């Protein structure tokens, strides 16, 4: 028997009821995306917070330490009202987790899953193990913002430019501007609804994807120049590395390391692209991308991380060669190929 995937409305019905009741009671709702939030995590948090605020809830949108946003996201409407995690109540009426694949991705906010009156988890990661009391987890959703749009519809919140800007940022980011396989007909239908509110989608995309200091070109040339192609590892591996210290040598903040993988993953000879990003504490934050033959979410999960089949990540405390060696041995195994 084949089960059809849940329709958005079935999946969101219980969460909508919980959130609508909380708003009607003027309850306190803490909302958080994952650590080092991206456009989907932050857009989801800000849009749902604004929608719940309009319905009467006392909302506290936040995200885990470090409490700094990259310039590419700090302009999102409502970002100026984000509250540091140290200032949110430890036991709010409701805690909403957005775009976090696991409790660990919520950092110091993870205890709120237990300590809040109730918890709602809104996510689209295939690696999500199932946590929180009310779960809106749909691995077929191309972005968490699509689930938030369903929740806002259920709450009777009208989409306007402010909400649509947050939702579009997450949608464009997680679909690779509608290029990735996760894009479905209803993805474009949502995009059409968002554009119909009058958002400046070209400006949103330029700020998110096409804006970097000139010195980023210098960093890119170094990082691209040291890339290694290993065609015999799995379906082919291309990897390179950089670090927050190297970014600093180019006068750049660490956030400028994030876009490097989007260049590296164009490598035709390698199904898997990997960028190791050295952090200030000596650990490696590792980004994995697949061109389609390899399930990198399973690779990342085996190394303590998670993600989607085509885009995943993990953190490694091994040294650089040890981290790549662990990756090589997993990619060489048979279990991670997309069937
Ligand atoms: P990134 O390479 O950081 O852009 O992440 C790609 C995907 O993998 C995103 O969906 C992330 O949420 C997920 N991801 C990255 N790092 C981790 C991690 N340490 N644990 C779980 N998921 C992760
Ligand atoms: Mn994310
Ligand atoms: Mn996402």
């Amino acid at each position: 028997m084949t089960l059809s995937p849940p329709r958005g409305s079935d999946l969101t019905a219980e969460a909508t009821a919980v959130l609508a009741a909380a708003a009607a009671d003027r309850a306190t709702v803490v909302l958080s995306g994952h650590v080092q939030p991206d456009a989907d995590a932050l857009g989801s948090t800000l849009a749902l917070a604004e929608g719940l605020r309009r319905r009467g809830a006392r909302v506290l949108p936040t995200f885990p330490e470090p409490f700094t946003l990259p310039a590419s996201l700090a302009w999102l409407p409502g970002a100026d009202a984000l509250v540091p995690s140290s200032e949110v109540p430890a036991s709010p009426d409701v805690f909403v987790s957005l775009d976090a694949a696991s409790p660990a991705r919520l950092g110091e906010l993870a205890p709120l899953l237990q300590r809040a009156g109730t918890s709602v988890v809104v996510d689209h990661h295939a690696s999500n193990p199932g946590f929180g009391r009310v779960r809106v987890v749909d691995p077929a959703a191309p972005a968490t913002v699509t689930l938030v749009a369903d929740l806002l519809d259920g709450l009777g919140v009208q989409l306007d430019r402010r909400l649509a800007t947050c939702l579009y940022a997450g949608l464009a980011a997680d679909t690779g501007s509608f290029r990735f396989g996760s894009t479905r007909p209803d993805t474009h239908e949502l995009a059409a609804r968002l554009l119909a509110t009058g958002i400046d989608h070209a400006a949103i995309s330029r700020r998110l994807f096409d804006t970097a200091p000139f010195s980023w070109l210098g960093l890119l040339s170094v990082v691209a120049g040291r890339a290694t192609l290993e065609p015999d590892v799995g379906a082919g591996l291309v990897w390179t590395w950089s670090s927050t210290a190297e970014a600093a040598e180019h006068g750049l903040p660490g956030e400028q390391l994030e876009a490097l993988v989007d260049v590296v993953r164009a490598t035709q000879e390698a199904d898997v692209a990997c960028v190791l990003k050295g952090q200030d504490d000596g650990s490696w934050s590792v980004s994995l991308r697949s061109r389609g033959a390899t399930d990198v979410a399973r690779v990342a999960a085996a190394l303590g991380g998670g993600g989607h089949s085509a885009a995943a990540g993990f953190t490694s405390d091994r040294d650089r060669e040890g981290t790549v060696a662990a990756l090589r041995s997993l990619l060489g195994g048979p279990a991670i190929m997309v069937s």
Side-chain angles (χ1 to χ4, degrees):
M1 186 179 72
T2 320
L3 290 174
S4 52
R7 294 289 312 132
S9 53
D10 297 337
L11 199 65
T12 52
E14 189 186 0
T16 302
V18 166
L19 295 173
D25 292 348
R26 307 207 170 278
T28 300
V29 183
V30 172
L31 304 96
S32 177
H34 58 74
V35 66
Q36 293 177 332
D38 51 23
D40 191 30
L42 198 65
S44 294
T45 301
L46 295 176
L48 188 56
E50 175 65 12
L52 288 171
R53 193 187 63 75
R54 290 181 192 176
R55 301 301 296 174
R58 295 180 50 225
V59 296
L60 294 140
T62 184
F63 61 90
E65 291 285 339
F67 191 65
T68 54
L69 286 178
S72 61
L73 297 179
W75 59 273
L76 278 172
D80 49 348
L82 284 157
V83 180
S85 63
S86 57
E87 291 175 22
V88 305
S91 305
D93 298 311
V94 182
F95 175 61
V96 186
S97 163
L98 296 131
D99 199 43
S102 64
R105 298 278 286 163
L106 294 166
E108 72 278 10
L109 289 158
L112 272 72
L113 289 163
Q114 266 79 46
R115 300 197 53 177
T118 194
S119 58
V120 179
V121 169
V122 188
D123 186 38
H124 69 127
H125 289 91
S127 61
N128 189 304
F131 63 98
R133 197 183 73 71
V134 180
R135 298 168 189 175
V136 183
V137 179
D138 182 2
T144 298
V145 290
T146 67
L147 304 171
V148 170
D150 289 341
L151 290 169
L152 292 172
D153 287 345
L155 290 165
V157 175
Q158 205 72 31
L159 294 186
D160 59 8
R161 282 174 57 164
R162 181 188 176 98
L163 291 168
T165 296
C166 293
L167 296 174
Y168 190 85
L171 192 61
D174 269 32
T175 61
S177 300
F178 309 97
R179 286 171 298 164
F180 300 159
S182 54
T183 299
R184 309 179 301 199
D186 62 355
T187 315
H188 284 290
E189 282 164 13
L190 176 59
R193 282 182 67 199
L194 300 177
L195 262 56
T197 66
I199 57 170
D200 189 345
H201 62 91
I204 294 170
S205 291
R206 198 178 312 114
R207 283 170 156 171
L208 287 177
F209 313 122
D210 295 332
T211 301
F214 176 65
S215 58
W216 186 79
L217 295 178
L219 176 69
L220 174 64
S221 79
V222 173
V223 175
R226 65 163 74 106
T228 303
L229 177 65
E230 303 189 23
D232 300 327
V233 173
L237 168 69
V238 59
W239 67 275
T240 187
W241 63 274
S242 186
S243 65
T244 51
E246 186 172 63
E249 286 168 22
H250 292 260
L252 295 167
E255 72 203 44
Q256 294 293 340
L257 301 172
E258 299 305 320
L260 296 168
V261 72
D262 286 320
V263 177
V264 180
R265 70 182 170 81
T267 304
Q268 191 178 357
E269 297 89 339
D271 190 58
V272 172
C274 169
V275 175
L276 297 96
K277 298 165 287 183
Q279 304 299 298
D280 293 344
D281 66 2
S283 68
W284 294 96
S285 170
V286 184
S287 288
L288 298 175
R289 299 292 184 270
S290 162
R291 294 173 64 84
T294 312
D295 185 348
V296 288
R298 290 167 70 178
V299 176
L303 295 166
H308 311 282
S309 66
F314 64 97
T315 302
S316 171
D317 291 320
R318 304 176 206 220
D319 64 11
R320 195 171 69 223
E321 257 314 313
T323 302
V324 178
L327 185 61
R328 263 188 217 109
S329 73
L330 279 166
L331 289 173
I336 39 71
M337 306 312 281
V338 172
S339 49

